[in-house]
Amino acid sequence: MTLICPICDLHRDIDQQKKYEIYRDDLWVLRHHPAPAPLLGWLLLDSLRHCSGPIDFSANESSNWGIAVRDACTLIKQLTQCDRVYTIAFGEGAQHLHLHLIPRLISNPATKAWCIADHYRSVDSGKSPPVMPDQLNEFVVKAREIKGTVFHYS
């Protein structure tokens, strides 16, 4: 029986790429959290290759991982002016590495430590509003410009 990986499916989905993908190289995919997005700048750094996490990295992935995480966090900080960036990976929902990169704004109590999980659930359940689609689109466009990414689709 072949298992379907939702992250691998996202990487093949042109519509998702057009909406949320910021950058892709031969190792990593950087994308904004899809709608309903809990916070502007909540990005995900995925391994392009299907693997569950650092324990499964190739030598090339291992040597490049820190640079990829640092560059993604720098991008978030530049665009959101956040105070720091949380990095969280569980891998239970999809056993394909997708590191959550979450902007922490001291001025926003919903982004404090474990409060972020409550905020996520609140947006997911419809109790709190998600990021507006035009804001999300604008963020992705700006992030692509900074990363120098131009997407061409046939």
Side-chain angles (χ1 to χ4, degrees):
M1 180 171 116
T2 303
L3 296 176
I4 297 171
C5 173
I7 304 298
C8 288
D9 285 348
L10 282 174
H11 294 172
R12 290 187 291 265
D13 186 331
I14 297 299
D15 290 333
Q16 289 291 312
Q17 291 174 31
K18 287 180 183 179
K19 287 181 188 175
Y20 306 114
E21 194 170 298
I22 294 166
Y23 177 80
R24 176 188 292 232
D25 64 19
D26 59 335
L27 299 175
W28 316 112
V29 175
L30 182 64
R31 60 191 171 92
H32 200 287
H33 190 292
L39 288 172
L40 191 63
W42 185 311
L43 302 187
L44 295 119
L45 182 62
D46 307 339
S47 56
L48 181 58
R49 182 179 67 86
H50 181 85
C51 72
S52 66
I55 196 165
D56 297 322
F57 280 176
S58 68
N60 192 24
E61 289 163 336
S62 293
S63 65
N64 190 268
W65 175 243
I67 294 166
V69 173
R70 181 204 59 208
D71 289 352
C73 290
T74 299
L75 179 67
I76 293 167
K77 194 164 187 174
Q78 180 178 354
L79 288 173
T80 66
Q81 300 301 302
C82 64
D83 300 291
R84 62 182 305 200
V85 178
Y86 291 149
T87 56
I88 302 171
F90 296 109
E92 292 303 313
Q95 291 185 3
H96 180 136
L97 177 65
H98 57 291
L99 180 69
H100 291 258
L101 303 160
I102 307 165
R104 165 65 170 123
L105 298 148
I106 291 172
S107 62
N108 182 352
T111 67
K112 181 180 179 186
W114 291 107
C115 295
I116 197 67
D118 295 332
H119 177 69
Y120 186 97
R121 285 188 289 270
S122 182
V123 170
D124 190 51
S125 70
K127 293 177 184 172
S128 293
V131 174
M132 298 300 295
D134 58 330
Q135 291 177 303
L136 182 53
N137 182 56
E138 184 179 327
F139 182 97
V140 169
V141 168
K142 284 181 183 176
R144 287 175 179 167
E145 289 171 358
I146 291 169
K147 288 297 285 179
T149 303
V150 178
F151 288 87
H152 300 282
Y153 297 97
S154 49

